[in-house]
Amino acid sequence: MGHRALVGYRRPDRLYDLRYSHWGGDDLALATRITADSPLAAGAVDSDLLADSVALERILTDYLDPRVHEALYLVSREFEVEPYRVLWLEWGDGREQGRGAITRVAPRKRDVEVRTWFRATKTVLADVIEMGALSRRAAQSYLEARVCEDQGGRVYTYGSSLDEDGPEYTPTPDRWTEGDE
């Protein structure tokens, strides 16, 4: 299965060259393994270019699938590495829309804290949806707000390329249960 991660290497033109790591999302160890002397972390990052000259926003919308990837690393030209944990903001029941978030974390303790917090929060919200106390949209909005406010996250929608003329992401409106109006 792997613990997939994307690694973006900053270019002089402020865009990124993008590479893939099959195991880089596990414990965020690439944050310390990517260096000027070992830019591909001794083979932990694929040498094949996934994409070149990509803006950060396009990395999120076109490449960083929150259902697949667990981490994103942004590497400066001086090889300073910023690790981000990828959080999937949907529930796996076939109605996914590709909503995700990234939050910058430090490897080890802080990463474990964020992952534990997120799993617990999302699990409780799934139970609240199942009990009928909140709509899916209300629960997802709450989850997105908590990720942003509590964890410094940045929400995005994967699969909604900036180059497409298609419709923008429009959340499903809440439906109030009878008697709550």
Side-chain angles (χ1 to χ4, degrees):
M1 180 174 150
H3 294 278
R4 296 167 182 92
L6 293 182
V7 183
Y9 294 86
R10 186 84 180 245
R11 299 161 39 110
D13 57 5
R14 307 185 109 201
L15 299 174
Y16 291 89
D17 288 341
L18 201 56
R19 289 183 159 70
Y20 171 79
S21 173
H22 194 68
W23 294 103
D26 185 22
D27 59 2
L28 300 182
L30 292 182
T32 56
R33 293 182 56 201
I34 295 172
T35 65
D37 293 332
S38 184
L40 300 179
V45 178
D46 287 354
S47 60
D48 295 336
L49 213 56
L50 182 63
D52 65 348
S53 304
V54 181
L56 177 58
E57 197 60 38
R58 291 226 23 216
I59 292 173
L60 301 179
T61 60
D62 293 356
Y63 297 97
L64 192 65
D65 186 341
R67 296 166 290 189
V68 173
H69 298 100
E70 296 180 38
L72 170 68
Y73 299 89
L74 297 180
V75 183
S76 75
R77 296 187 63 220
E78 295 77 28
F79 288 93
E80 294 168 357
V81 181
E82 294 180 359
Y84 292 85
R85 182 56 65 192
V86 178
L87 307 172
W88 183 40
L89 301 173
E90 305 265 351
W91 286 269
D93 62 359
R95 296 187 273 177
E96 304 90 23
Q97 302 236 354
R99 290 292 278 177
I102 57 170
T103 186
R104 186 169 179 198
V105 295
R108 294 178 187 74
K109 185 178 179 190
R110 177 69 181 132
D111 179 44
V112 170
E113 289 171 359
V114 168
R115 286 190 293 156
T116 302
W117 173 88
F118 183 72
R119 276 192 226 123
T121 303
K122 190 173 174 182
T123 299
V124 169
L125 286 171
D127 290 344
V128 170
I129 293 167
E130 186 69 27
M131 291 185 302
L134 280 177
S135 68
R136 284 175 54 89
R137 184 60 203 144
Q140 185 178 359
S141 293
Y142 178 82
L143 181 60
E144 289 179 13
R146 295 281 52 87
V147 165
C148 292
E149 294 172 22
D150 297 348
Q151 305 301 329
R154 178 179 176 178
V155 175
Y156 69 95
T157 302
Y158 171 75
S160 64
S161 176
L162 300 174
D163 293 339
E164 295 176 5
D165 290 331
E168 291 184 28
Y169 173 73
T170 306
T172 306
D174 277 336
R175 291 180 300 183
W176 299 100
T177 58
E178 290 181 32
D180 289 346
E181 297 179 60

